[in-house]
Amino acid sequence: MSARARLACALAWLALLLAGGTWLSQSLTVSGDLRRFLPDARTPEQRLLIDELGEGPGSRLLLLALSGAEPDVLAARSHAMREALAGDARFAFVANGAEAGLDAIPERLRPYRYLLSPTLDAQAFDAAFLGEALEARLQDLGSPAADLVEPLLASDPTLETLALAEAWMPAHAPRTLHEAWFDRAGAQALLLVETRAAGFDPDGQREAVDAIEAAFAASGGAADAMLEISGPGAFADEIGTRTAREARWIGTVDSIGLVLLLLLAYRSWKIPLLGVLPLASAGLAGLATLMLLFGDRVHGITIAFGFTLIGVVQDYPIHFFSHQHAGLSPWRSVRRLWPALATGVAATCIAYLTFLFAGVDGLRQLAVFTIVALATAALCTRFALPGLIDPAQRDVADSPRLLALWHRIERLPRPRWSLVALALAALAVVALRPGAFWQNDLSRLTPVAEPLLQRDAALRAELGAPDVRYVLTLQAADADAALAASERMRPALDALAGAGAIDGYDLAARYLPSAARQRERQRALPSADALQRALDAAVADSPFRADAFAPFLADVERARTAPPLQARDLDGTPLATRVEGLLLAGEGRATALVSLTGLRDVEAVARMAAAHGAQLLDMKQASESLVADYRTRILGALALAALGLVATVWFALRTPRRVWRVLLPMGMTTLLVLAVLRGFGVELNLFHLVSLILAAGLGLDYALFFEHAGEDRDDQLRTLHAVIVCSLMTLLVFSLLALSSIPVLRAIGSTVALGVVFNFVLALLVARAPVGGGTASRTVVRDEPA
């Protein structure tokens, strides 16, 4: 094949990859639900934690603060934003202290107000009560509240609708100025917003933040006020924006650096083009397989970390390029290289196979992606790349600079007992370094700055938003039984609030009473005739017409005969989201949650919960147990991976000495990386562990290729050239990741960067065989067809 034909084939391959990438980008839906990277919950606390992280009301709350203007201006902006957001389907609840409207109870459920309101628990609908209500309405009609009261008067003279709306406002409301919430200093107008999008729905949270910013701009914008958004959704949006920004600059620097490095190493403009073909093919094959096996919702972490992991596949074409030399066809070169390359690929794939049995959907996706990508890149290097590369015009083994470096390396002493001393010292650091070994706190992985977290805590305190650490739970056979149990606990909760143990609480029964409580209120409602007589007596002493309250009579009669309201009847209403977040119904069980505000006395609340058959859950403790559970599974997978890796290398090399030379650098590197991290006081997290697998895979490749070179000087020179280029490329990528402000990326980058350095040095000193007979003679090999 001519050089022009080879170039045309390479460009055609690249065009196919671009077309495939375009199709995948349009078909693939990226999921941001981090629960896919959490293990299956094994305890009630862990199940609740996972549910609350993604679906609970705490994960949906956004806290808004307006500042930078006079209080009356801020209040006007607050009211304008509330009106705009309340009509937006992306929000389930918007509150700023203004009088509540009728949107909480749609027309079809309006008669149920008499079953939801506590009025009938202490008051009968008799002539005296109705007379007092009508007298109060007369006063309301002459007050500024007339516009609010007049539309309700005919159907709701006792204003149960407004009583419910007021009761459903946050239990611990902040200061009110100009009918809007403000902080205690009166300098910031506050709003509380609950999104319909779950906490782990980054796209939904992004849309919600955009809608809030648009409403702020429409209300007058930054001309006379400033907007601050806090809460899990805002943090997730900020993290996503920052991650994308860092990924762009890291990717740009990586791309420029890698192209320059390849041009410098091989002095050919074609090499960067040919080198990217196996890598791009690997990525597209991995994504296509994920779509086939897991549907079109692939997790973003799988893609991001997966592409980081398949950075190892860049080594395959580089080893092939470096082992080219004049007189040997590309097909012959790749066949000579294939045993070492295939062993490395097989060992790494076996290591990742263990993740398929880790019980975590995200790790299963990661394993499938990585295995398919590695295999694809290796096969492309073996069976496609040799047909596209031009026959080598020069041999990297002829480089004087490389030969000079090789001579210096040859003079280095071979470590023996010094490795034992180094290993013992590393073990001592790992075992004896004071401080926690494992990092169990999930919040430590967040890149949210501490001032932002402190600001969020301050806003939550001002708004009376629920505590995100502690929650009360009540288990019952079904949803109605859970509602009834939580109702029985309300007096004790009120007592705790009165004693200052908590500032307030929220529970589903506040919005939806149990069926038994609703029936009690139904029995307290008078019959149609009795109500008519009581109303007539009340109207007789007022200026109202006798027939003005026909809608009221009709609503009471419908409430008296209606079946009890259930959670499913609230679908499509603002109440549905609030009840669903506090009442978790499953097969054969239901859990009522009680969110707490301003919790001060944990022991008092725990005692009260135990006395009522409830439990006070510490979400921090539950998250730490979940992380520990996860780590146990990953460590088990790593142990199996190590056994599989050793078995693969033994099967390929068959000689104990050769196996030892290949595995020792990788094992020592793992120990040294752990010692360095522990020596600097780094608490190890799950991403450090997964990164150690990648570092081990790189070390295995370096050692295998040095071992494959044997005692031939020229082969050692070619391998040295390839390993230097591979190491520099990998070190560039992961050193930039180590500089990231994202803790997860920083953990991955620092771990692998250290692994690259240690693997390179130890592979040179341990895996490289002594050259036999001084300088090996050149062997001219006849060119052979593929």
Side-chain angles (χ1 to χ4, degrees):
M1 186 184 297
S2 66
R4 180 173 297 180
R6 287 193 290 269
L7 179 59
C9 289
L11 293 175
W13 187 355
L14 182 62
L16 286 175
L17 292 175
L18 291 174
T22 302
W23 175 77
L24 275 176
S25 65
Q26 295 173 349
S27 305
L28 188 66
T29 302
V30 179
S31 168
D33 191 343
L34 290 177
R35 290 173 296 176
R36 291 194 174 203
F37 268 84
L38 296 177
D40 300 331
R42 296 184 175 182
T43 67
E45 294 86 352
Q46 292 177 358
R47 282 192 294 270
L48 179 61
L49 173 68
I50 292 176
D51 288 338
E52 284 294 286
L53 281 175
E55 302 293 342
S59 70
R60 300 170 185 262
L61 285 183
L62 292 176
L63 317 176
L64 314 184
L66 305 179
S67 60
E70 294 300 316
D72 59 335
V73 175
L74 296 177
R77 296 287 178 263
S78 175
H79 293 317
M81 289 186 65
R82 179 189 177 280
E83 184 176 350
L85 297 177
D88 193 320
R90 287 168 287 200
F91 301 99
F93 174 71
V94 182
N96 76 329
E99 290 292 339
L102 305 180
D103 55 337
I105 309 179
E107 185 65 35
R108 64 184 175 86
L109 299 181
R110 211 57 72 75
Y112 277 102
R113 62 187 179 273
Y114 300 106
L115 307 185
L116 304 182
S117 171
T119 300
L120 287 167
D121 295 342
Q123 181 64 57
F125 274 15
D126 54 20
F129 174 69
L130 294 176
E132 292 174 1
L134 293 179
E135 184 177 349
R137 299 299 79 81
L138 279 175
Q139 296 175 1
D140 291 337
L141 291 175
S143 72
D147 290 340
L148 180 64
V149 171
E150 186 174 2
L152 299 174
L153 188 57
S155 62
D156 193 6
T158 63
L159 295 188
E160 299 302 328
T161 303
L162 293 185
L164 279 176
E166 183 178 351
W168 291 340
M169 296 297 282
H172 184 67
R175 177 184 181 184
T176 300
L177 291 175
H178 305 288
E179 298 184 349
W181 285 336
F182 274 76
D183 62 352
R184 284 186 288 271
Q188 298 181 98
L190 306 176
L191 296 93
L192 189 63
V193 174
E194 183 178 336
T195 65
R196 293 192 186 276
F200 278 154
D201 180 359
D203 294 334
Q205 293 295 332
R206 173 71 259 179
E207 291 179 7
V209 171
D210 287 343
I212 291 170
E213 292 175 344
F216 173 66
S219 73
D224 53 3
M226 293 181 294
L227 170 67
E228 182 181 3
I229 308 175
S230 188
F235 293 154
D237 178 59
E238 191 271 338
I239 292 168
T241 301
R242 194 196 317 173
T243 302
R245 183 172 62 249
E246 292 193 6
R248 282 194 296 271
W249 78 261
I250 290 176
T252 300
V253 175
D254 282 345
S255 300
I256 295 173
L258 297 182
V259 169
L260 292 177
L261 182 59
L262 288 175
L263 289 174
L264 180 64
Y266 298 105
R267 317 284 178 84
S268 170
W269 64 269
K270 292 182 181 180
I271 293 299
L273 170 64
L274 295 175
V276 79
L277 295 177
L279 182 62
S281 300
L284 292 181
L287 288 177
T289 306
L290 286 180
M291 287 183 61
L292 180 65
L293 297 180
F294 297 94
D296 60 352
R297 291 197 67 83
V298 178
H299 203 286
I301 291 181
T302 301
I303 297 175
F305 196 41
F307 273 105
T308 302
L309 289 171
I310 65 169
V312 70
V313 308
Q314 69 190 9
D315 294 3
Y316 305 158
I318 288 174
H319 279 290
F320 172 52
F321 297 149
S322 293
H323 281 80
Q324 294 292 304
H325 60 88
L328 194 66
S329 76
W331 294 104
R332 182 72 178 272
S333 295
V334 80
R335 279 200 298 272
R336 293 181 60 188
L337 197 64
W338 182 245
L341 193 152
T343 302
V345 173
T348 307
C349 288
I350 288 174
Y352 280 100
L353 272 175
T354 59
F355 280 178
L356 292 175
F357 310 101
V360 181
D361 184 63
L363 289 182
R364 284 192 286 264
Q365 288 192 14
L366 184 60
V368 170
F369 182 88
T370 306
I371 291 169
V372 171
L374 291 175
T376 300
L379 293 174
C380 287
T381 302
R382 170 62 179 89
F383 296 105
L385 210 54
L388 304 180
I389 193 171
D390 296 333
Q393 301 300 315
R394 69 184 187 90
D395 192 335
V396 297
D398 294 331
S399 168
R401 293 180 180 176
L402 188 65
L403 185 60
L405 176 62
W406 180 83
H407 281 306
R408 293 191 183 96
I409 294 172
E410 275 289 287
R411 289 194 290 270
L412 293 175
R414 296 283 180 151
R416 292 186 179 179
W417 292 109
S418 58
L419 284 181
V420 176
L422 183 62
L424 291 175
L427 281 172
V429 172
V430 172
L432 302 179
R433 173 65 162 84
F437 190 92
W438 298 112
Q439 185 184 90
N440 292 330
D441 190 352
L442 284 175
S443 66
R444 296 281 296 276
L445 296 179
T446 176
V448 181
E450 186 62 28
L452 290 179
L453 294 176
Q454 293 174 356
R455 177 63 177 151
D456 181 73
L459 285 176
R460 285 181 177 274
E462 293 281 2
L463 281 162
D467 189 284
V468 295
R469 175 171 178 177
Y470 292 99
V471 65
L472 283 169
T473 66
L474 275 163
Q475 302 285 339
D478 54 41
D480 190 64
L483 288 171
S486 61
E487 284 174 342
R488 291 191 292 271
M489 195 166 60
R490 292 193 72 173
L493 288 167
D494 291 335
L496 286 173
I502 58 174
D503 284 340
Y505 62 91
D506 198 12
L507 70 174
R510 182 180 171 205
Y511 310 100
L512 179 66
S514 65
R517 180 62 56 86
Q518 293 182 57
R519 292 191 185 97
E520 288 177 8
R521 292 170 180 170
Q522 278 183 321
R523 289 191 290 270
L525 285 171
S527 66
D529 291 340
L531 182 61
Q532 182 69 66
R533 289 192 298 270
L535 183 61
D536 289 343
V539 169
D541 296 328
S542 75
F544 294 107
R545 297 197 322 267
D547 61 347
F549 300 102
F552 167 61
L553 295 171
D555 278 359
V556 172
E557 183 60 22
R558 283 198 294 269
R560 195 172 66 87
T561 58
L565 193 66
Q566 299 185 40
R568 62 175 177 269
D569 299 322
L570 301 176
D571 291 345
T573 73
L575 291 178
T577 303
R578 298 190 221 177
V579 172
E580 287 171 1
L582 295 167
L583 184 64
L584 310 178
E587 294 184 5
R589 68 178 183 88
T591 304
L593 306 182
V594 181
S595 63
L596 304 171
T597 303
L599 175 60
R600 298 184 183 88
D601 192 338
V602 175
E603 293 184 2
V605 175
R607 288 194 300 270
M608 183 280 301
H612 288 80
Q615 184 179 6
L616 179 64
L617 294 187
D618 184 344
M619 291 299 194
K620 183 176 184 293
Q621 186 180 42
S623 69
E624 290 177 353
S625 71
L626 190 68
V627 170
D629 224 9
Y630 197 0
R631 184 173 57 246
T632 300
R633 299 191 195 189
I634 290 183
L635 288 173
L638 291 180
L640 292 176
L643 292 176
L645 190 148
V646 171
T648 305
V649 174
W650 179 269
F651 180 80
L653 302 181
R654 306 293 177 91
T655 304
R657 181 179 179 83
R658 296 175 68 193
V659 172
W660 176 252
R661 284 202 323 228
V662 167
L663 294 180
L664 180 59
M666 182 182 64
M668 278 294 300
T669 291
T670 301
L671 182 58
L672 290 175
V673 170
L674 289 175
V676 171
L677 293 175
R678 290 292 301 130
F680 281 96
V682 176
E683 296 176 10
L684 303 183
N685 59 45
L686 302 175
F687 294 96
H688 287 114
L689 289 180
V690 179
S691 300
L692 283 173
I693 305 177
L694 175 55
L698 292 170
L700 179 68
D701 283 347
Y702 298 166
L704 276 171
F705 282 108
F706 272 121
E707 199 283 332
H708 176 74
E711 299 178 357
D712 184 271
R713 187 202 68 178
D714 288 352
D715 272 348
Q716 286 197 7
L717 284 168
R718 298 181 191 109
T719 299
L720 177 62
H721 182 271
V723 172
I724 288 175
V725 176
C726 292
S727 300
L728 290 176
M729 291 178 71
T730 307
L731 191 61
L732 171 65
V733 172
F734 288 96
S735 295
L736 290 176
L737 286 180
L739 299 176
S740 171
S741 66
I742 311 297
V744 170
L745 297 182
R746 196 162 57 243
I748 295 170
S750 58
T751 303
V752 179
L754 287 171
V756 169
V757 174
F758 291 139
N759 276 318
F760 177 78
V761 173
L762 289 170
L764 274 178
L765 299 179
V766 176
R768 185 176 53 85
V771 171
T775 59
S777 60
R778 296 285 183 91
T779 302
V780 178
V781 183
R782 291 183 180 275
D783 201 3
E784 295 182 2

